Amino acid sequence: GESVGLHLPTLSVQEGDNSIINCAYSNSASDYFIWYKQESGKGPQFIIDIRSNMDKRQGQRVTVLLNKTVKHLSLQIAATQPGDSAVYFCAENSGYSTLTFGKGTMLLVSP
Amino acid sequence: NAGVTQTPKFRVLKTGQSMTLLCAQDMNHEYMYWYRQDPGMGLRLIHYSVGEGTTAKGEVPDGYNVSRLKKQNFLLGLESAAPSQTSVYFCASSYSRGTGTGELFFGEGSRLTVL
């Protein structure tokens, strides 16, 4: 059969629901984290970032939560819309000049 | 403001052929990167550059070479293409936060197929 690795974790929600996408990061020394959105056929786009001296940061309809104790990052999207359907990646600045990306989560929003 | 521009957007190669992907950024960023994206593998760093005239290896550098002769351009070369290099390639650039890289700005991608 197909390798599990070919399939992205998928979150399916209804329009108007709140969405929570989770990410575990690897390096306890990472000091900066970013969430990206990638629509089909396009490059990743910046959504929101957070530094390690913060636990929470809010943007327009999005909130990022950082739990350094368990090395966990989450992205909350309020009132999810069909246009939010995309693959979402978390990234950490674990090396001085590079970002390490997670494998991504696909968000599917049904009207 | 064009941001990050990649050329070409699509290319089909035969095994053993060579080609160069060009990345140009107009944001005066110090750092530039080449990633490849394969299904289920996320974005993997091939090579990167922290300034004009400098390059460094990333996670998957084998089979690729890069050059950063001008600050605004970062070239990715495949000397002898292999089917395993079939992928979507993304260029990105970023500024320095002083304590590390800032957010990356990505191009639209270059889809390469090696037959």
Side-chain angles (χ1 to χ4, degrees):
Chain A
E2 284 188 289
S3 168
V4 172
L6 294 176
H7 297 286
L8 285 175
T10 300
L11 175 65
S12 296
V13 301
Q14 293 287 117
E15 182 177 1
D17 287 351
N18 295 332
S19 303
I20 299 176
I21 301 171
N22 296 303
C23 176
Y25 63 92
S26 58
N27 191 336
S28 57
S30 295
D31 72 336
Y32 181 61
F33 305 87
I34 306 177
W35 280 100
Y36 283 90
K37 172 186 180 184
Q38 187 178 26
E39 297 174 330
S40 181
K42 295 187 176 182
Q45 293 177 291
F46 171 88
I47 302 173
I48 191 168
D49 59 3
I50 187 168
R51 299 194 183 210
S52 59
N53 60 355
M54 303 172 69
D55 297 323
K56 178 180 179 179
R57 190 165 187 221
Q58 289 184 293
Q60 188 175 13
R61 279 202 309 120
V62 295
T63 300
V64 56
L65 298 177
L66 176 63
N67 185 331
K68 296 180 286 294
T69 302
V70 295
K71 293 189 288 186
H72 184 267
L73 200 63
S74 68
L75 177 71
Q76 300 179 358
I77 304 174
T80 313
Q81 303 167 0
D84 294 326
S85 293
V87 176
Y88 290 80
F89 294 95
C90 65
E92 60 181 303
N93 184 197
S94 55
Y96 184 83
S97 52
T98 61
L99 291 181
T100 301
F101 286 80
K103 290 185 168 44
T105 297
M106 181 173 290
L107 176 65
L108 297 175
V109 183
S110 304
Chain B
N1 190 345
V4 178
T5 304
Q6 295 180 227
T7 52
K9 290 185 170 40
F10 301 94
R11 184 74 186 268
V12 178
L13 289 176
K14 294 181 180 179
T15 296
Q17 287 185 315
S18 63
M19 76 157 296
T20 301
L21 296 175
L22 171 64
C23 177
Q25 54 96 2
D26 61 2
M27 296 173 281
N28 201 34
H29 285 164
E30 287 296 326
Y31 303 158
M32 295 188 74
Y33 310 85
W34 277 107
Y35 286 88
R36 61 177 287 173
Q37 186 174 37
D38 303 295
M41 300 294 290
L43 289 156
R44 293 185 292 170
L45 183 63
I46 304 172
H47 286 280
Y48 65 101
S49 168
V50 298
E52 182 178 320
T54 72
T55 63
K57 294 181 180 180
E59 179 187 356
V60 288
D62 294 342
Y64 305 94
N65 57 75
V66 287
S67 65
R68 183 106 181 262
L69 298 179
K70 293 182 179 180
K71 185 177 183 178
Q72 64 268 34
N73 295 336
F74 195 31
L75 279 63
L76 177 71
L78 286 72
E79 291 185 345
S80 179
S84 61
Q85 294 178 303
T86 293
S87 189
V88 180
Y89 292 85
F90 286 99
C91 177
S93 70
S94 72
Y95 54 92
S96 170
R97 293 182 292 117
T99 56
T101 183
E103 67 177 277
L104 269 59
F105 294 77
F106 284 87
E108 290 293 289
S110 298
R111 182 176 293 276
L112 175 65
T113 301
V114 183
L115 303 176

